[in-house]
């Protein structure tokens, strides 16, 4: 079982360019999440989706958009990248219940120059 | 505002016991999670507490006091592979996780 996968593993992107980070899970989880992790800070929620067809804004949504066309996929798009979006991005999923653990993908390391 | 505090770094000796503390102030409480994250890897689930008390799982135990806004993760019989960051996260009233910055645990032989 693959669990949750992300692509690409890493990317260097020129400022002003757009990019989509891909995330796919095969656990049939209802909820999916995008986080960014920066040195010295906790994981910060960018966007989430409680079920296919719905999305919501997290703590730091500006500059990012998401879609949830089906249960398995939850892509994150940067429309016009800026250097402050340099970070490690983690996608996660859970069954969606209150005490359900979140399973994380391996992460995408993005550098915006 | 919402806040999760945990020490930035701790050092312990192989075979010993270490306690990593976490204090929190959040809007609502629907449970506290501990995750382990090795350098360059994804976080992985360790424990979940929603009621006061101690939850034991092998070499790892987690304690919660909701009235004090306090939790700790206890690691026994430390092994070199336990060198990692330990992340404390609280599920708030919106069922979203609020994360601490993590405690980097260094194990020395």
């Amino acid at each position: 079982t693959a669990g949750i996968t992300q692509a690409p593993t890493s990317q260097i992107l020129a400022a002003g360019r757009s990019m989509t980070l891909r995330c796919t899970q095969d656990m049939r989880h209802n909820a999916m999440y995008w986080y960014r992790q920066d040195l010295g800070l906790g994981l910060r929620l960018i966007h989430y989706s409680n079920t296919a067809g719905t999305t919501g804004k997290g703590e730091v949504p500006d500059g990012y958009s998401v879609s949830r066309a089906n249960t398995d996929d939850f892509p994150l798009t940067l429309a016009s990248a800026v250097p402050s979006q340099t970070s490690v991005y983690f996608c996660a999923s859970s069954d969606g219940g209150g005490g359900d653990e979140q399973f994380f993908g391996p992460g995408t390391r993005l550098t915006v120059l | 505002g919402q806040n999760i505090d945990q020490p930035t770094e701790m050092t312990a000796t192989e075979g010993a016991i270490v306690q990593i503390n976490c204090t929190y102030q959040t809007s609502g409480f629907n449970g506290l999670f501990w995750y382990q994250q090795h350098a360059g890897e994804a976080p992985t689930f360790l424990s979940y507490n929603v009621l006061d008390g101690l939850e034991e799982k092998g070499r790892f135990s987690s304690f919660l006091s909701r009235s004090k806004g306090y939790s700790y993760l206890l690691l026994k019989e430390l092994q070199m592979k336990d060198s990692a960051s330990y992340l404390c996260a609280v599920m708030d009233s919106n069922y979203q996780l609020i994360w601490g910055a993590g405690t980097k645990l260094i194990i020395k032989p």
Side-chain angles (χ1 to χ4, degrees):
Chain A
T1 301
I4 185 164
T5 59
Q6 293 183 236
T9 302
S10 66
Q11 183 74 44
I12 299 174
L13 187 67
R17 300 296 294 268
S18 67
M19 177 168 186
T20 296
L21 280 60
R22 301 184 297 279
C23 174
T24 300
Q25 54 106 356
D26 64 1
M27 297 175 283
R28 308 304 293 172
H29 284 167
N30 287 317
M32 297 187 75
Y33 314 86
W34 273 106
Y35 293 95
R36 58 178 291 174
Q37 188 174 40
D38 302 290
L39 199 63
L41 299 177
L43 288 160
R44 292 183 291 169
L45 183 66
I46 304 170
H47 285 287
Y48 65 93
S49 170
N50 287 331
T51 190
T54 69
T55 62
K57 293 181 179 180
E59 179 186 356
V60 289
D62 293 344
Y64 307 95
S65 63
V66 292
S67 62
R68 186 87 184 277
N70 56 59
T71 298
D72 299 345
D73 301 300
F74 192 44
L76 176 74
T77 297
L78 288 68
S80 179
V82 295
S84 62
Q85 291 178 309
T86 294
S87 187
V88 179
Y89 291 86
F90 287 104
C91 180
S93 71
S94 73
D95 268 344
D100 288 334
E101 65 178 281
Q102 293 184 9
F103 294 83
F104 284 79
T108 294
R109 184 174 295 274
L110 179 67
T111 302
V112 182
L113 300 175
Chain B
Q2 308 205 92
N3 197 46
I4 311 286
D5 285 319
Q6 46 181 136
T8 302
E9 187 174 296
M10 300 181 70
T11 302
T13 304
E14 189 177 16
I17 299 173
V18 70
Q19 178 175 309
I20 302 174
N21 296 326
C22 171
T23 58
Y24 64 89
Q25 289 180 303
T26 57
S27 57
F29 180 85
N30 283 299
L32 185 143
F33 294 77
W34 284 96
Y35 280 75
Q36 180 189 60
Q37 185 177 25
H38 285 100
E41 297 183 7
T44 55
F45 171 79
L46 287 177
S47 68
Y48 171 68
N49 294 67
V50 67
L51 299 176
D52 290 352
L54 187 69
E55 294 279 344
E56 297 186 81
K57 192 184 294 186
R59 294 189 299 113
F60 293 8
S61 303
S62 56
F63 172 84
L64 175 67
S65 168
R66 289 172 296 171
S67 63
K68 295 182 179 178
Y70 168 70
S71 172
Y72 67 72
L73 181 69
L74 191 72
L75 291 73
K76 304 176 186 176
E77 302 169 13
L78 285 170
Q79 302 175 10
M80 297 303 294
K81 68 179 182 180
D82 297 329
S83 292
S85 289
Y86 291 87
L87 314 181
C88 174
V90 172
M91 184 162 281
D92 70 7
S93 57
N94 294 318
Y95 292 92
Q96 301 299 343
L97 285 178
I98 309 300
W99 296 81
T103 298
K104 181 178 181 180
L105 179 63
I106 300 167
I107 310 296
K108 296 186 174 180

